[in-house]
Amino acid sequence: MTHSENEVYPPSPEFVAQAHIDGAKYEEMYAASVNDPEAFWGEQGKTLDWIKPYTKVKNTTFEYPNVSIKWFEDGVLNVAANCIDRHLDTRGDQTAIIWEPDDPNAPARHITYRELHEQVSKLGNVLKGLGIAKGDRVVLYMPMIPEAAFAMLACARIGAIHSVVFGGFSPDALASRIEDCSAKLVITADEAPRGGRNTPLKANADKAMEICGDVPMLVVSRTGGGPGMKEGRDHSYEALMAEASADCPPEPMGAEDPLFILYTSGSTGKPKGVLHTSGGYLLYVSLTHKYVFDYHDGDIFWCTADVGWVTGHSYIVYGPLANGATTLMFEGVPTYPDAGRFWAVCEKHKVNQFYTAPTAIRALMGQGPQFVDPYDLSSLKVLGTVGEPINPEAWHWYNDHVGKGRCPIVDTWWQTETGGHLLTPLPGAIPTKPGSATKPFFGVQPVVLDAQSGEEITTTEAEGVLCMKDSWPGQMRTVFGDHERFVKTYFSDYKGYYFSGDGCRRDADGYYWITGRVDDVINVSGHRMGTAEVESALVAHPKVSEAAVVGYPHPVKGQGIYCYVTLMAGEEYTDELREELRQWVRKEIGPIATPDVIQWAPGLPKTRSGKIMRRILRKIAENDFGNLGDTSTLADPSVVDDLIANRANT
Ligand code: WT7
């Protein structure tokens, strides 16, 4: 089955009748938002609680090289107070966080807004007691437990900047992030249970500190396992919390004061520290959470992402809590104890909005309908996807078996850099087409540029690179410690625009279809991976002289990691070494970067000036030999035939 732009699924009249936004309202609000952003966002900004109201709304320019982005710049607020304190009078006893543990037989936790307030306030004081002050960086390397959310919010409460590092990252990756942001504290846990196995977080953090030097650590006891504490460096979370006061007034923060840093991969160099600030970010994630998922008071919202990714920041923690929602946090994996776990959790907690990634849907689809059909999924109202384009097979399976044809599917396109959804249907307003992220959210002005000329394509039907013409409040503000890199990465290729790095097509109805990255970034199970990062991990091995990494189509992951490796002269090309290199990359970066394929490449296709022709390597990995293009500029065209002859089976 291929994508068909003629296959259109409008929401049911019953859904539209109860939705916040219908088609006409979307058109009206969208027009208002782009015709007068100042007025639109000035009004929306009032949905937050301000300690000192803003008088300025938008002060942004994409003009190269003077890029500068400020929203609500003279306003003062506290993000944690917006996510907690302001709800206490109206919903203090409502559950803020439902926590579902990895082990289905262990009890779930229900944390009310009042309890959240107490825990976050105490932790704020614990952080202060450890010497953390406004502007300091705190790295979080945590399991999916409520303490991860407490830690994010406690940082926000006292004005510290958190940087969450995904628990699947290696000690090396953790160390480089601790170093890059000069973290003053690391918050971790002894171990992270996932799928019945424990990831040794504390042991990994110990190893990281052998690389980057000791940093004080606050350690949550999740399993009671893991290594011992290092005297003078490590502190027990439980011990310090037991003595902490619950009186921790929220720190007044400028709207443009940093809230968090989140590292993400790019096409070159080491991961960038994407910096988000307080006011605009919180407004943008709360508004998108409310409208994109059509969230109503009392609904149970579940985003299956890990808090180590931006999806977890925006749609497990900040967006839902700013809206006074009940947000579900799941510690486990979709396939443990079996491929029915997601649906068992939906049934158990009566989930109303469910948000996951196409790769998870494909994996579960592959296990068969017997894992989903027995569950009562009648509470579901809206389904969402994020991370990569969803293929029509997976879309239909999701729609039929999970949504029972009743639930609009919102395919949300966005990025770590964008803070929240940019292209997405509003479920009561925009008929969906399987595989399309449909239309822009309020205030978002997408344009399609011709990749070569950089000219805006103004016809409705268009194909090219996806850029944004103007700023939205959730946009990243800079790369931490390297504003020049920010300007160069996003604003220098196409002057005057924000360049997303994605290609796209706009159809005759003005719907956007993402065609994938146009740079050297690949998307593995919805996780962004710089091919350069995998290459540098490979060449760090003493037997490797050169490596080139590309993506190739993978039935479950979307893209798999295909590596071409040249060994040092005299080294033997063996299967054992191939496996050793896979494990090596896994150790250097983390399990998500484990190569799927390593093809030995005694020679790589290079131009006469020595540049590796990745275009050709991509084609070979994609099994598309008829289409190699011009190979005459290669220094030695015969290497291409060798690579084709020895292509790995995928
Ligand atoms: C890249 C951003 C934003 C949270 C998840 C990943 C791809 C994301 C979609 C979608 C097609 C998508 C893009 C984008 N992507 N959502 N709905 N349809 N592609 O965040 O790691 O910052 O990756 O993910 O290529 O540029 P990220």
Side-chain angles (χ1 to χ4, degrees):
M1 209 188 299
T2 54
H3 290 293
S4 161
E5 52 187 69
N6 303 320
E7 204 187 330
V8 184
Y9 293 83
S12 69
E14 302 79 67
F15 188 92
V16 177
Q18 60 80 57
H20 290 302
I21 310 275
D22 64 12
K25 183 99 181 149
Y26 167 75
E27 295 298 340
E28 178 198 318
M29 284 176 75
Y30 181 75
S33 73
V34 297
N35 293 339
D36 192 351
E38 191 83 21
F40 180 85
W41 291 112
E43 192 55 34
Q44 294 300 330
K46 295 179 188 161
T47 59
L48 298 181
D49 254 20
W50 296 86
I51 296 167
K52 177 178 162 290
Y54 48 87
T55 64
K56 299 189 185 132
V57 175
K58 182 174 187 285
N59 180 6
T60 68
T61 174
F62 285 1
E63 191 195 279
Y64 182 85
N66 306 315
V67 178
S68 160
I69 297 155
K70 292 180 184 153
W71 287 87
F72 310 108
E73 60 189 290
D74 61 346
V76 176
L77 82 173
N78 182 280
V79 167
N82 271 277
C83 290
I84 309 170
D85 304 43
R86 67 163 166 164
H87 305 310
L88 292 178
D89 284 346
T90 48
R91 51 177 104 242
D93 296 322
Q94 181 201 305
T95 301
I97 299 175
I98 299 175
W99 177 71
E100 171 70 20
D102 186 51
D103 174 359
N105 300 313
R109 286 169 69 183
H110 290 76
I111 296 147
T112 64
Y113 273 95
R114 206 176 310 287
E115 287 160 351
L116 183 62
H117 182 255
E118 186 185 332
Q119 296 301 316
V120 169
S121 298
K122 282 187 175 172
L123 186 50
N125 283 328
V126 167
L127 298 183
K128 285 185 189 170
L130 292 169
I132 304 302
K134 180 173 173 174
D136 288 342
R137 272 80 62 198
V138 176
V139 161
L140 275 53
Y141 185 60
M142 296 286 276
M144 281 289 287
I145 53 178
E147 287 74 8
F150 301 165
M152 293 164 76
L153 291 161
C155 287
R157 194 166 190 88
I158 69 166
I161 305 168
H162 60 71
S163 183
V164 185
V165 176
F166 173 57
F169 278 127
S170 67
D172 296 72
L174 175 61
S176 77
R177 286 156 175 78
I178 293 172
E179 266 180 334
D180 187 85
C181 73
S182 321
K184 269 196 152 176
L185 176 73
V186 172
I187 309 181
T188 188
D190 47 8
E191 297 178 302
R194 274 183 95 237
R197 283 198 302 241
N198 294 337
T199 305
L201 293 183
K202 168 69 162 66
N204 286 349
D206 284 350
K207 282 188 203 150
M209 289 186 189
E210 284 168 22
I211 302 165
C212 65
D214 274 352
V215 174
M217 253 203 270
L218 184 61
V219 186
V220 177
S221 169
R222 167 66 186 96
T223 64
M229 304 285 266
K230 180 168 172 180
E231 199 48 54
R233 183 194 68 180
D234 301 347
H235 307 269
S236 154
Y237 179 96
E238 290 74 19
L240 295 186
M241 287 291 276
E243 289 169 6
S245 147
D247 180 19
C248 180
E251 183 76 25
M253 302 293 287
E256 285 300 337
D257 282 339
L259 177 63
F260 67 84
I261 299 166
L262 191 55
Y263 286 85
T264 192
S265 301
S267 45
T268 54
K270 56 181 182 142
K272 300 181 278 282
V274 168
L275 185 103
H276 283 286
T277 58
S278 302
Y281 171 81
L282 191 67
L283 173 62
Y284 199 75
V285 297
S286 72
L287 210 68
T288 47
H289 172 260
K290 176 174 174 184
Y291 290 137
V292 172
F293 299 110
D294 198 43
Y295 185 87
H296 288 75
D297 256 0
D299 285 347
I300 314 286
F301 178 82
W302 182 15
C303 162
T304 69
D306 191 283
V307 289
W309 311 114
V310 74
T311 311
H313 285 60
S314 300
Y315 300 110
I316 295 176
V317 179
Y318 291 115
L321 296 178
N323 289 332
T326 299
T327 182
L328 194 151
M329 193 171 184
F330 175 45
E331 188 181 39
V333 299
T335 48
Y336 177 79
D338 64 35
R341 187 67 190 278
F342 273 179
W343 324 123
V345 174
C346 283
E347 177 182 288
K348 175 176 172 188
H349 296 293
K350 302 198 168 40
V351 170
N352 300 112
Q353 291 90 8
F354 177 75
Y355 188 34
T356 196
T359 186
I361 298 168
R362 285 192 297 268
L364 299 179
M365 177 174 76
Q367 301 292 308
Q370 69 276 21
F371 288 104
V372 55
D373 292 345
Y375 292 99
D376 176 3
L377 299 178
S378 57
S379 59
L380 290 173
K381 296 194 281 193
V382 175
L383 303 176
T385 69
V386 58
E388 57 176 311
I390 183 164
N391 50 306
E393 293 82 351
W395 191 96
H396 283 288
W397 186 87
Y398 200 27
N399 188 49
D400 297 347
H401 290 276
V402 182
K404 319 287 180 197
R406 291 185 297 106
C407 305
I409 298 177
V410 291
D411 177 344
T412 60
W413 177 86
W414 58 296
Q415 311 178 293
T416 307
E417 293 87 339
T418 71
H421 310 139
L422 293 196
L423 300 177
T424 175
L426 299 190
I430 299 171
T432 59
K433 302 184 184 189
S436 170
T438 75
K439 299 268 185 166
F441 189 72
F442 303 136
V444 173
Q445 300 188 53
V447 288
V448 182
L449 305 188
D450 178 84
Q452 264 68 50
S453 70
E455 294 289 315
E456 217 174 296
I457 307 177
T458 53
T459 47
T460 305
E461 283 187 82
E463 181 150 9
V465 296
L466 176 62
C467 290
M468 299 296 148
K469 205 151 89 170
D470 200 357
S471 183
W472 61 97
Q475 183 170 24
M476 74 182 282
R477 301 302 196 252
T478 191
V479 169
F480 181 75
D482 197 348
H483 192 66
E484 216 177 296
R485 190 171 176 200
F486 173 62
V487 174
K488 184 165 182 308
T489 308
Y490 304 103
F491 302 93
S492 69
D493 289 348
Y494 303 101
K495 303 275 185 314
Y497 300 96
Y498 166 79
F499 173 43
S500 68
D502 279 357
C504 82
R505 191 165 70 77
R506 188 166 56 212
D507 73 15
D509 297 322
Y511 277 48
Y512 289 84
W513 301 75
I514 303 298
T515 52
R517 300 288 303 195
V518 296
D519 51 11
D520 289 319
V521 169
I522 58 180
N523 189 328
V524 183
S525 301
H527 299 313
R528 194 202 292 204
M529 185 82 50
T531 53
E533 271 175 87
V534 183
E535 287 164 6
S536 66
L538 283 165
V539 296
H541 189 282
K543 292 184 178 167
V544 173
S545 88
E546 247 185 326
V549 174
V550 298
Y552 74 101
H554 186 286
V556 174
K557 298 179 179 183
Q559 281 188 300
I561 304 176
Y562 196 115
C563 312
Y564 298 90
V565 174
T566 312
L567 298 180
M568 297 287 188
E571 296 296 346
E572 242 188 291
Y573 291 86
T574 65
D575 285 346
E576 291 71 45
L577 181 56
R578 196 182 268 135
E579 189 49 33
E580 185 182 319
L581 291 180
R582 293 184 74 234
Q583 295 310 321
W584 172 269
V585 175
R586 189 183 164 92
K587 182 191 108 342
E588 289 274 308
I589 305 175
I592 54 171
T594 312
D596 293 283
V597 178
I598 293 179
Q599 175 174 353
W600 296 133
L604 285 166
K606 290 186 188 167
T607 60
R608 285 185 201 106
S609 60
K611 193 170 168 341
I612 296 175
M613 300 271 281
R614 305 168 141 280
R615 179 176 53 80
I616 293 174
L617 294 175
R618 249 180 247 128
K619 290 289 178 195
I620 297 173
E622 287 164 7
N623 230 334
D624 186 10
F625 311 139
N627 213 348
L628 290 181
D630 185 10
T631 54
S632 64
T633 56
L634 290 178
D636 176 6
S638 75
V639 300
V640 174
D641 300 325
D642 287 345
L643 289 177
I644 292 176
N646 295 304
R647 184 184 177 280
N649 265 326
T650 53

